[in-house]
Amino acid sequence: MLRFILTRVSLVIPTFIGITLLAFFLIRLVPGDPIETMAGERGIDAARHEQLKKDFGLDKPLIIQYGYYIERVLHGDLGKSIVTRESVLSEFQTLFPATVELAVCAILFALFLGIPAGILAAVRRNSIFDHGVMGISLTGYSMPIFWWGLILILVVSVQLGWTPVSGRIDVLYYIEPVTGFLLIDSFFSEDEGAFMSALGHLILPTIVLGTQPLATIARMTRSAMLEVLGEDYIRTAKAKGLSRFRVIGLHALRNALIPVVTVIGLQVGVLFTGAILTETIFSWPGIGKWLIEAIFRRDYPVLQGGLLLVGVIVMSVNLIVDLTYGLINPRIRHNR
Amino acid sequence: MALLEIENLSVEFPTQGGIMRAVDDVSLKLDVGEVLGVVGESGSGKSVTMLALMGLIPFPGRVKAKKLSFNGRDLLTMSDRERRKLTGKDVAMIFQEPTTSLNPCFTVGFQLTETLRLHEGMDRKAARRRAIELLEQVGIPSAESRLTAYPHQLSGGMNQRVMIAMAIACNPKLLIADEPTTALDVTIQAQILDLLMTLQKERNMALVMITHNMGVVAETAKRVMVMYAGQIMEERSAADLFASPQHPYTAALLAALPERSEGSRLATIPGVVPGLYDRPRGCLFSPRCAYATEHSRNVRPELRPWAGGHVRCHYPLGDPNRNANMNADHPLGTEAAS
Amino acid sequence: MTAETMEAPLVAAPTATPPHPLREFWGYFSANRGAVAGLFVIVGVVLVALLADVLAPHSPYLTDTKIALKPPFWQEGGSITYPLGTDAIGRDILSRLIYGSRLSLLIGVIVISISIVVGTVLGLVAGFARGVTEIFIMRLMDIVLTMPSLLLAIVVVAVLGPGLVNSMLAVALVILPHYVRLARAAVITETSKDYVTAARVSGAGNLRLMFKEVLPNCTAPLIVQASLGISTAILDAAALGFLGLGAQPPSPEWGTMLADAREFVLRAWWVVTFPGLAILITVLAFNLLGDGLRDALDPKLKR
Ligand SMILES: Nc1ncnc2c1ncn2[C@@H]1O[C@H](COP(=O)(O)OP(=O)(O)OP(=O)(O)O)[C@@H](O)[C@H]1O
Ligand SMILES: [Mg+2]
């Protein structure tokens, strides 16, 4: 098991280096003068230019520059936003909980609907229910979620008036950020209205962001379940006279969940892609919206830092899922 | 009264290319404590027959039978719930591949006690004690420590012992062993067979031993059923069958044994078992039969009482009028009309 | 699974001959109604794209503020001249959708072509060269796979600048790893087979092996992956268009149309609804087709 962990951890090192290289070169590849790009100052005079060049270490060879960059990154210095002049890391830290809150809700939504739907579809293979689930999930999988969000706003918020159109919470409420997760903070604020408002603001974004993972998880659960249901040990379980519920819910599900966990891990990247779009549509103050705005403001240090942080986070979550996979699969847990 | 009675059992699988009949009109009686050997080439429907009896035919297979009764109870009209109380308790089955037949996600102890708790209503402690006892009975050393092992940590032979322990846990009246030794090493094969036979005698269980191996049959069974392409070809006492096979297929199986040495597998008979697309109109064995005639190619023989058992052949080998019949190509008895 | 009593004598199994592989493929494929529907929709979209000049009632670029935000014909105030209504500056939505189908198909096909060609070459090289080259290529693909696809595409666009062509390049890069992996896996399985060894022994070089033996053997999975990839490409390019990083206005690209329409979501539902519906239907059709192809070509699922 220890060897398993060590191999997996060592496998992400090249990926980490790759991500840092990507972030490092990003800012040098953007059209325009890199010094002006980094400093966010335009049309500066030659002396200032030289000064900045020294400050950023741009007079050194690339490899040394990369070394400096890594050193700064490891010290938590990701540069400053050229728009707000704030440290990129601290901006990230304030916005990150909003994205995590949304993403966690979305993945829970996808799991709680997707796994049961996938199991039932597999058990009632070729039934109307199965075809229905598969049809809906393929539609969800094909859904342009930026449009899906707009349609939901149009119908649910505008026509029916059930949910707010955008934001995280009504402007009436001010909640002191403790955890940064508004749902939790407002819950402990003892202001019921604030909590309900936060909850209401979460519903549509959760559905929109959860749609693609839901479709993927339902499809994956179904196919994993179908495969497992054909295995010899399921026949054995039935030959023991176990109830259908026990055969499916225990013997089959336990095995079917192993590949599903991997898929859930892969959803982290998908969730982030979705968060960029969802946050844009719902004006959700998270990382996705931050990065898109950075592009339009040509705030390259933010883009560079965000790219690095998001890359490292996705990579780490993938690693954790990989290790979990080893934990829930006895074949890996005991061998190696 | 017989322990098990099967009459006219058929199992069909609808496939893209048409309906695959895996078991065709099988009838069978088995007494308490009797050992029946079932032999036949791969794909002859041995497993499917027994799975039908267990109620384990996978979707979209269809089971049809005139009668299917066990211990005086009708399995056809019984509710699923009632039937589940029988399977695993009074009728148990062990399979060909011990390693894949155990659930990789659960410990041996869990899988073993599960049966005991379900059918015998034991509590956790009692089930655990009994599980250790069972593992000892099937010859697993340091049984207690094996309870926490996962199937992949044990060898194939050990896993098969666990399967046997699971199957005999509730003292079944009938044990079906579907090629229990095929996947194992030769030395282990003998041990497992010995174990099964010892348990059978101790408990006076009825035992159905499915195998490819005529040697195994000779060692274990009192009665033998030979299957081909889903049909019973011959069914007689082991002694008679080995001494004077009546069906050309049985004869070919026996002849394929080098000096009839025990332990060797079925050697080759030219041709293959008919599949979905080449199922003959007449006798299913006729394309490979040395004695086929126009008549046997066109008219399917019925299973009829013969020489102390049953045979499905127009010209059984022991028939005194055999040559005359073959030469004249007379249609036989009841089938004249068909 | 439940046993039933025998009512009628069982019919004799049919004596048929196994069908020809291509017919068999069509048999499996056409049995999948979703896949056939997907194929029909795709054929329809292709026809619309080809005949856009004939079919479109108006120019997709013609603006006329007098008729801005006209609803579809079945609603009060709508007219059959503008069947699906007009947008904020009076362009006919139907005409824009019809011309937009050209762009979406073009995006799909071009992106996939780039990815397949580059991906297969990289995969073949990785599979044949092994060693450091292989590790380098595959690690690089891992990084591409790790990054959230849209973020990576955005970064590429940030470097190259927004626009239709650059967004296509970005998307092509994002979906590249699938083809690299596929081609490499094909090389590795194929080279372990006897006939390739035989070809090697008889003196065939790597290059000949690649094109004569290995490539034909991975066409089936490539076709499947291509069909699924077109849908991803259309979807991702539309997302970039929606974010303002893809095709630029006044291009009738569906995603770009949605970006323009966003602010009118409260006033004019039709400017938002139809472009998205067009994306959804097209993407769904390619996914249905891809699923159908995979099921029909995958021997594992045949039964
Ligand atoms: N689920 C199924 N779907 C379709 N056909 C099946 C299915 N299960 C079994 N068959 C077919 O039924 C026939 C009989 O299979 P069966 O497993 O009973 O053979 P067998 O005599 O046990 O062979 P073996 O010695 O290889 O175990 C085979 O031709 C097989 O293809
Ligand atoms: Mg079998």
Side-chain angles (χ1 to χ4, degrees):
Chain A
M1 186 66 195
L2 187 69
R3 235 183 86 197
F4 169 74
I5 294 176
L6 288 180
T7 9
R8 289 307 152 114
V9 171
S10 68
L11 270 177
V12 302
I13 292 172
T15 314
F16 175 74
I17 296 175
I19 293 170
T20 55
L21 279 172
L22 197 65
F24 173 73
F25 278 110
L26 163 71
I27 214 151
R28 282 161 183 79
L29 289 174
V30 216
D33 180 39
I35 294 160
E36 295 187 9
T37 310
M38 279 187 221
E41 298 171 29
R42 301 215 166 93
I44 47 180
D45 59 47
R48 177 90 180 119
H49 195 273
E50 276 311 300
Q51 177 62 36
L52 285 172
K53 197 166 178 174
K54 274 224 172 59
D55 287 354
F56 288 116
L58 286 181
D59 45 354
K60 307 267 178 12
L62 265 184
I63 180 86
I64 306 276
Q65 289 182 33
Y66 177 67
Y68 282 154
Y69 175 67
I70 292 290
E71 197 191 326
R72 269 184 282 131
V73 165
L74 292 179
H75 284 98
D77 175 11
L78 296 177
K80 281 194 169 63
S81 158
I82 57 178
V83 178
T84 60
R85 298 279 156 197
E86 288 256 1
S87 130
V88 170
L89 189 64
S90 74
E91 282 202 346
F92 184 87
Q93 281 165 342
T94 40
L95 296 173
F96 190 53
T99 300
V100 173
E101 184 172 45
L102 179 56
V104 167
C105 289
I107 199 79
L108 288 179
F109 165 77
L111 287 177
F112 277 104
L113 276 178
I115 290 184
I119 294 172
L120 279 180
V123 172
R124 312 213 169 142
R125 174 181 26 181
N126 289 330
S127 68
I128 296 179
F129 180 82
D130 182 19
H131 290 305
V133 166
M134 285 302 97
I136 292 173
S137 70
L138 197 66
T139 311
Y141 186 75
S142 312
M143 186 67 85
I145 64 166
F146 42 96
W147 173 73
W148 181 221
L150 292 177
I151 291 298
L152 283 179
I153 289 176
L154 191 69
V155 176
V156 181
S157 302
V158 179
Q159 303 273 348
L160 301 171
W162 287 352
T163 59
V165 175
S166 66
R168 273 183 97 185
I169 193 162
D170 212 280
V171 285
L172 289 174
Y173 303 101
Y174 174 74
I175 300 293
E176 188 69 38
V178 182
T179 58
F181 303 109
L182 258 184
L183 213 51
I184 299 175
D185 288 345
S186 65
F187 184 76
F188 289 108
S189 73
E190 285 168 18
D191 185 341
E192 202 177 307
F195 178 70
M196 293 315 286
S197 171
L199 197 63
H201 279 83
L202 249 176
I203 292 174
L204 287 191
T206 296
I207 294 175
V208 170
L209 186 53
T211 297
Q212 282 211 350
L214 169 62
T216 314
I217 288 170
R219 281 162 67 87
M220 189 64 209
T221 307
R222 175 180 180 272
S223 72
M225 202 68 187
L226 277 182
E227 192 166 330
V228 168
L229 285 177
E231 294 282 350
D232 288 350
Y233 51 78
I234 295 303
R235 191 180 57 192
T236 309
K238 286 182 187 159
K240 286 179 179 179
L242 300 178
S243 68
R244 235 171 113 71
F245 185 77
R246 200 173 162 94
V247 172
I248 292 162
L250 191 72
H251 284 260
L253 186 60
R254 185 67 193 270
N255 285 280
L257 281 185
I258 293 174
V260 173
V261 165
T262 320
V263 171
I264 295 170
L266 293 177
Q267 295 308 304
V268 181
V270 176
L271 277 175
F272 201 86
T273 286
I276 295 177
L277 296 165
T278 312
E279 290 178 2
T280 306
I281 298 163
F282 290 97
S283 303
W284 189 267
I287 300 300
K289 186 158 168 281
W290 180 56
L291 287 175
I292 286 297
E293 280 166 2
I295 286 241
F296 285 109
R297 295 172 181 166
R298 312 193 145 270
D299 195 346
Y300 291 107
V302 164
L303 199 57
Q304 183 189 34
L307 179 71
L308 183 74
L309 288 168
V310 170
V312 170
I313 287 166
V314 173
M315 185 189 81
S316 314
V317 175
N318 282 346
L319 177 66
I320 292 168
V321 170
D322 226 16
L323 297 178
T324 319
Y325 179 83
L327 265 180
I328 59 170
N329 189 344
R331 270 183 255 214
I332 297 181
R333 187 165 69 217
H334 294 281
N335 289 352
R336 279 179 259 193
Chain B
M1 187 190 61
L3 176 69
L4 172 69
E5 275 182 86
I6 300 176
E7 272 175 38
N8 308 88
L9 172 76
S10 295
V11 181
E12 295 177 337
F13 293 102
T15 65
Q16 292 278 345
I19 291 173
M20 163 83 207
R21 176 160 316 171
V23 175
D24 192 358
D25 196 23
V26 164
S27 300
L28 169 70
K29 267 195 179 119
L30 201 63
D31 285 324
V32 175
E34 191 180 357
V35 180
L36 173 75
V38 180
V39 289
E41 282 166 291
S42 212
S44 51
K46 308 181 295 288
S47 303
V48 174
T49 307
M50 293 306 150
L51 288 174
L53 169 63
M54 297 285 292
L56 291 180
I57 294 300
F59 180 86
R62 287 196 299 257
V63 178
K64 293 184 182 178
K66 206 155 148 196
K67 183 168 185 186
L68 199 60
S69 91
F70 178 79
N71 208 14
R73 304 184 58 189
D74 185 3
L75 298 178
L76 291 170
T77 52
M78 198 180 267
S79 73
D80 277 1
R81 178 182 274 267
E82 285 295 306
R83 191 160 181 188
R84 276 202 297 270
K85 283 191 190 149
L86 271 181
T87 41
K89 186 174 191 310
D90 292 333
V91 199
M93 185 158 176
I94 53 184
F95 302 98
Q96 177 172 348
E97 283 283 345
T99 345
T100 56
S101 293
L102 287 167
N103 195 322
C105 279
F106 296 101
T107 60
V108 165
F110 177 88
Q111 297 186 53
L112 196 47
T113 50
E114 190 177 29
T115 324
L116 293 166
R117 296 178 67 178
L118 174 73
H119 292 297
E120 308 282 329
M122 291 186 184
D123 62 18
R124 196 179 293 266
K125 270 218 179 106
R128 193 184 134 85
R129 265 199 310 277
R130 177 91 174 101
I132 297 172
E133 236 173 78
L134 282 165
L135 287 182
E136 276 163 358
Q137 259 181 43
V138 297
I140 293 184
S142 58
E144 187 158 1
S145 66
R146 298 300 166 110
L147 285 182
T148 52
Y150 285 88
H152 68 269
Q153 294 171 307
L154 302 179
S155 67
M158 280 299 151
N159 277 327
Q160 194 59 296
R161 283 171 198 267
V162 172
M163 280 296 293
I164 294 174
M166 249 161 60
I168 61 164
C170 305
N171 296 312
K173 297 187 175 69
L174 167 63
L175 177 64
I176 302 164
D178 188 355
E179 307 189 33
T181 59
T182 313
L184 305 175
D185 291 344
V186 184
T187 45
I188 313 287
Q189 283 186 8
Q191 290 173 15
I192 296 285
L193 279 183
D194 276 352
L195 172 66
L196 279 173
M197 294 318 291
T198 319
L199 289 168
Q200 186 270 328
K201 284 199 192 76
E202 273 174 20
R203 295 160 181 244
N204 197 28
M205 288 187 297
L207 176 65
V208 174
M209 176 73 78
I210 302 178
T211 179
H212 281 203
N213 191 321
M214 278 291 189
V216 170
V217 178
E219 249 176 84
T220 55
K222 291 277 163 341
R223 207 145 57 85
V224 184
M225 183 166 110
V226 179
M227 288 192 70
Y228 182 81
Q231 293 186 328
I232 298 178
M233 288 292 152
E234 180 166 359
E235 179 262 293
R236 291 165 69 221
S237 83
D240 290 352
L241 185 123
F242 278 94
S244 63
Q246 291 300 309
H247 198 288
Y249 179 58
T250 319
L253 287 182
L254 290 174
L257 286 174
E259 301 147 315
R260 294 217 188 167
S261 68
E262 288 175 4
S264 55
R265 305 183 101 243
L266 291 180
T268 46
I269 306 172
V272 288
V273 184
L276 182 57
Y277 296 112
D278 52 3
R279 214 168 159 86
R281 192 142 47 99
C283 173
L284 293 177
F285 186 57
S286 59
R288 300 168 74 188
C289 182
Y291 311 112
T293 65
E294 245 345 271
H295 177 67
S296 74
R297 291 211 163 170
N298 286 315
V299 180
R300 204 168 281 177
E302 299 226 331
L303 189 68
R304 57 188 170 126
W306 186 264
H310 293 85
V311 69
R312 190 190 289 273
C313 181
H314 294 298
Y315 323 111
L317 296 175
D319 185 354
N321 302 324
R322 186 161 181 266
N323 282 343
N325 283 343
M326 279 171 64
N327 288 335
D329 209 5
H330 273 314
L332 282 166
T334 52
E335 294 154 48
S338 64
Chain C
M1 260 191 50
T2 45
E4 40 185 88
T5 36
M6 187 142 57
E7 308 105 8
L10 296 158
V11 279
T15 36
T17 45
H20 183 266
L22 238 147
R23 281 198 68 140
E24 198 186 359
F25 163 78
W26 180 247
Y28 282 112
F29 184 82
S30 56
N32 185 340
R33 267 177 291 164
V36 176
L39 187 62
F40 269 107
V41 171
I42 292 168
V43 170
V45 175
V46 170
L47 285 180
V48 167
L50 289 177
L51 302 176
D53 297 322
V54 185
L55 290 176
H58 305 274
S59 154
Y61 301 110
L62 189 72
T63 65
D64 182 355
T65 37
K66 283 199 296 290
I67 50 156
L69 291 181
K70 250 178 143 27
F73 69 90
W74 62 86
Q75 269 202 348
E76 180 124 13
S79 84
I80 198 75
T81 336
Y82 304 99
L84 297 181
T86 58
D87 67 6
I89 46 176
R91 291 174 295 197
D92 178 43
I93 291 188
L94 179 65
S95 306
R96 285 178 69 71
L97 289 181
I98 289 175
Y99 278 95
S101 67
R102 279 189 177 175
L103 285 173
S104 281
L105 287 181
L106 214 64
I107 290 170
V109 171
I110 291 179
V111 165
I112 281 304
S113 312
I114 298 175
S115 280
I116 285 189
V117 172
V118 178
T120 320
V121 169
L122 283 178
L124 290 177
V125 168
F128 275 106
R130 315 306 284 264
V132 186
T133 323
E134 183 187 21
I135 293 175
F136 180 75
I137 294 177
M138 296 323 287
R139 288 289 112 193
L140 205 64
M141 292 305 123
D142 280 353
I143 295 167
V144 174
L145 274 182
T146 303
M147 297 308 292
S149 58
L150 192 58
L151 180 59
L152 197 61
I154 287 173
V155 166
V156 174
V157 173
V159 171
L160 300 178
L164 183 61
V165 175
N166 290 345
S167 70
M168 291 202 298
L169 287 176
V171 175
L173 171 74
V174 166
I175 60 175
L176 189 63
H178 300 288
Y179 302 94
V180 179
R181 289 187 161 186
L182 219 153
R184 173 177 161 271
V187 176
I188 289 175
T189 40
E190 295 300 326
T191 43
S192 61
K193 285 186 188 157
D194 288 343
Y195 70 92
V196 174
T197 321
R200 272 237 164 98
V201 169
S202 70
N206 268 349
L207 212 69
R208 251 196 78 185
L209 271 180
M210 273 190 206
F211 289 103
K212 287 208 71 172
E213 313 287 353
V214 176
L215 218 47
N217 276 297
C218 60
T219 38
L222 272 179
I223 289 171
V224 174
Q225 191 65 48
S227 176
L228 297 173
I230 288 184
S231 67
T232 319
I234 294 177
L235 207 52
D236 284 2
L240 284 175
F242 176 75
L243 291 172
L245 299 170
Q248 297 296 306
S251 159
E253 199 272 323
W254 294 336
T256 312
M257 282 173 73
L258 272 174
D260 293 344
R262 247 186 90 190
E263 51 186 303
F264 301 102
V265 66
L266 303 184
R267 281 196 282 150
W269 60 270
W270 57 94
V271 288
V272 183
T273 306
F274 296 119
L277 217 50
I279 301 174
L280 174 61
I281 290 171
T282 314
V283 171
L284 185 59
F286 276 105
N287 277 332
L288 282 170
L289 178 73
D291 272 9
L293 285 176
R294 186 184 48 213
D295 291 351
L297 291 171
D298 188 349
K300 233 181 27 184
L301 296 168
K302 278 184 188 176
R303 209 191 241 276

